[in-house]
Amino acid sequence: MTNTAESHTENLQLIRESARDFAETFIRPHVMEWDESQYFPKDLFRQMGEHGFMGVLVPEQYGGAGLGYTEYITIVGEIARVCGSIGLSVAAHNSLCTNHILAFGTEEQKQKYLPRLASGEWVGAWGLTEPNTGSDAGRMQCVARCDGDFYVIDGTKSWITHGISGDVAVVIVRTGELLDSRGMTAFIVERNTPGFRGGKKENKLGMRASETAELIFDNCRLHKSQMLGQEGEGFIQSMKILDGGRISIAALSLGIAKGAYEASVKYAKERHQFGQPIASFQGISFKLADMATKISAAELLTFHAGDLKNANQKCTKESAMAKYYASEVAVEVSTDAVQVHGGYGYTKDFPVEKFYRDSKLCTIGEGTSEIQKIVIAREVLK
């Protein structure tokens, strides 16, 4: 092993420990209280910014940690092992809002927004989905019309992470014709912009401490300097951003699956039935074997996609595979975890019912499992 490889492994270990310690110290004690009350702990994100978790992929010149996808997957996974909600918020902030500005912003836009986002001073939101257009983004109804040096935006975005609490949002709105992939444009909108506000907050099954809400635009005037890239590039930009976003959801899924698996191993060793630990029964031990195997496979797919992303290679198929497989694994593993715990698994005294509830979002958000299959099929049939 070369010295560089060794130091890289050591660095990754330090990053893993830093994220793990943070999650155990500042997140674990509050997990259930935040979940029950749907409380979004905004102050926590500033603290995470101090640890470099809010600008993982942002270069140091903009105040970020300047790390790659391997480290990013590791950080999101460690946080999600303790709380899926906080993992989801970290993922959405980093890979969607912050990454969109990093990838497509002008130098001026990067200087203005990235340091605030990377430090956790500002929390970011990203808006593509609308009440009637989820997977079918080409039919979006939120429109921007040009008025001299300004654009006037009207419409609603829904299912937006940090829709109410986010300080800045990147939104994709229609500037051209319906169904035209070059008819959409991305803008940066600051929270205090007149005509822009958060709407209804969703009351969710899981991921309850991660705020999900509407963004409402009512005659919202934005200067053209707030546009990301050129007019008409918004949808194409979004598809590129979602490649990275899918790796995020795979990492999130991996963390949830590991949290549920680790809780199950611990419980199976401690719980005795018929005079022995339930781990000694084949019915339980085989479940644990299946969980461990699926998690390892999901991890390999996820880090493989991350490696391609780090090398700036096309990873559309690989990130879709990682997202599809890891998210389904998160659901399977957390379902089995509840089963291993028996009646206790169905109560809020043990952590697995929350992993079970949180896991389901992973198969839906940032492109459903069905959409991932379409993406994968398209790529393999090219």
Side-chain angles (χ1 to χ4, degrees):
M1 209 177 183
T2 64
N3 285 344
T4 10
E6 267 173 28
S7 67
H8 180 71
T9 309
E10 275 169 29
N11 277 351
L12 193 61
Q13 195 48 38
L14 286 173
I15 288 162
R16 185 185 300 281
E17 281 164 17
S18 160
R20 183 168 292 193
D21 290 348
F22 185 93
E24 291 295 342
T25 310
F26 299 106
I27 301 173
R28 192 176 295 279
H30 310 287
V31 167
M32 289 316 290
E33 155 208 344
W34 291 343
D35 181 74
E36 300 271 301
S37 63
Q38 297 201 75
Y39 175 70
F40 176 62
K42 200 170 175 191
D43 292 346
L44 180 78
F45 291 85
R46 189 164 292 198
Q47 261 180 297
M48 285 198 281
E50 288 164 16
H51 285 73
F53 305 152
M54 297 295 276
V56 183
L57 303 163
V58 174
E60 289 175 22
Q61 73 196 78
Y62 303 115
L67 299 168
Y69 273 83
T70 308
E71 295 82 1
Y72 177 55
I73 292 164
T74 303
I75 290 166
V76 171
E78 284 299 332
I79 292 169
R81 261 179 75 250
V82 173
C83 179
S85 294
I86 305 302
L88 172 64
S89 278
V90 168
H93 169 94
N94 273 281
S95 76
L96 299 178
C97 177
T98 307
N99 204 33
H100 200 140
I101 296 171
L102 176 63
F104 299 106
T106 60
E107 188 55 36
E108 201 177 337
Q109 288 168 336
K110 290 181 198 177
Q111 297 279 4
K112 183 175 179 183
Y113 294 107
L114 292 178
R116 283 169 165 171
L117 288 162
S119 68
E121 179 197 339
W122 279 16
V123 168
W126 191 78
L128 179 67
T129 306
E130 295 181 7
N132 296 312
T133 61
S135 306
D136 182 13
R139 293 179 202 271
M140 65 170 59
Q141 301 297 320
C142 190
V143 294
R145 55 186 171 80
C146 189
D147 180 15
D149 282 344
F150 288 83
Y151 282 82
V152 182
I153 304 180
D154 284 290
T156 304
K157 294 286 176 185
S158 59
W159 305 108
I160 309 304
T161 305
H162 314 141
I164 294 165
S165 300
D167 300 281
V168 63
V170 170
V171 294
I172 295 85
V173 295
R174 196 154 58 76
T175 46
E177 295 305 308
L178 269 180
L179 299 177
D180 178 5
S181 66
R182 295 202 169 269
M184 291 165 264
T185 306
F187 291 91
I188 305 172
V189 196
E190 292 181 28
R191 176 57 61 187
N192 55 9
T193 309
F196 173 52
R197 62 185 169 88
K200 172 180 168 258
K201 179 174 169 175
E202 301 298 341
N203 184 6
K204 308 193 300 283
L205 168 75
M207 300 290 195
R208 288 167 63 83
S210 178
E211 176 187 277
T212 305
E214 292 176 321
L215 298 177
I216 298 171
F217 298 90
D218 181 8
N219 208 25
C220 174
R221 289 176 72 78
L222 282 184
H223 192 264
K224 62 182 182 189
S225 62
Q226 295 302 103
M227 188 190 290
L228 276 160
Q230 302 300 311
E231 184 174 314
E233 289 177 355
F235 183 73
I236 293 117
Q237 290 173 5
S238 300
M239 293 304 105
K240 289 180 181 162
I241 292 302
L242 284 171
D243 278 350
R246 285 169 182 153
I247 296 172
S248 283
I249 302 294
L252 178 65
S253 304
L254 209 46
I256 290 170
K258 284 183 181 179
Y261 164 73
E262 286 160 11
S264 301
V265 170
K266 180 174 182 286
Y267 183 80
K269 288 175 174 175
E270 290 168 1
R271 170 78 167 166
H272 282 66
Q273 291 288 277
F274 307 101
Q276 53 190 309
I278 63 169
S280 64
F281 297 110
Q282 200 176 67
I284 299 295
S285 66
F286 278 17
K287 263 190 176 26
L288 298 173
D290 279 339
M291 288 177 178
T293 305
K294 288 173 184 173
I295 288 169
S296 287
E299 191 159 41
L300 288 168
L301 277 171
T302 305
F303 279 107
H304 174 53
D307 283 344
L308 290 174
K309 198 88 176 94
N310 279 339
N312 283 321
Q313 290 178 12
K314 186 173 191 284
C315 65
T316 304
K317 179 183 75 174
E318 290 78 7
S319 64
M321 283 178 168
K323 194 273 189 196
Y324 164 52
Y325 186 73
S327 66
E328 294 290 344
V329 161
V331 173
E332 289 164 18
V333 168
S334 56
T335 302
D336 280 344
V338 172
Q339 196 70 17
V340 167
H341 282 70
Y344 289 111
Y346 205 66
T347 70
K348 293 190 183 286
D349 298 331
F350 285 81
V352 290
E353 65 84 31
K354 183 176 179 295
F355 287 124
Y356 178 70
R357 288 183 291 109
D358 287 350
S359 67
K360 193 58 208 158
L361 182 274
C362 299
T363 67
I364 298 168
E366 292 193 35
T368 59
S369 291
E370 291 71 21
I371 288 290
Q372 305 311 318
K373 288 188 202 180
I374 291 172
V375 171
I376 297 161
R378 205 175 278 157
E379 291 295 318
V380 298
L381 292 170
K382 265 184 180 171

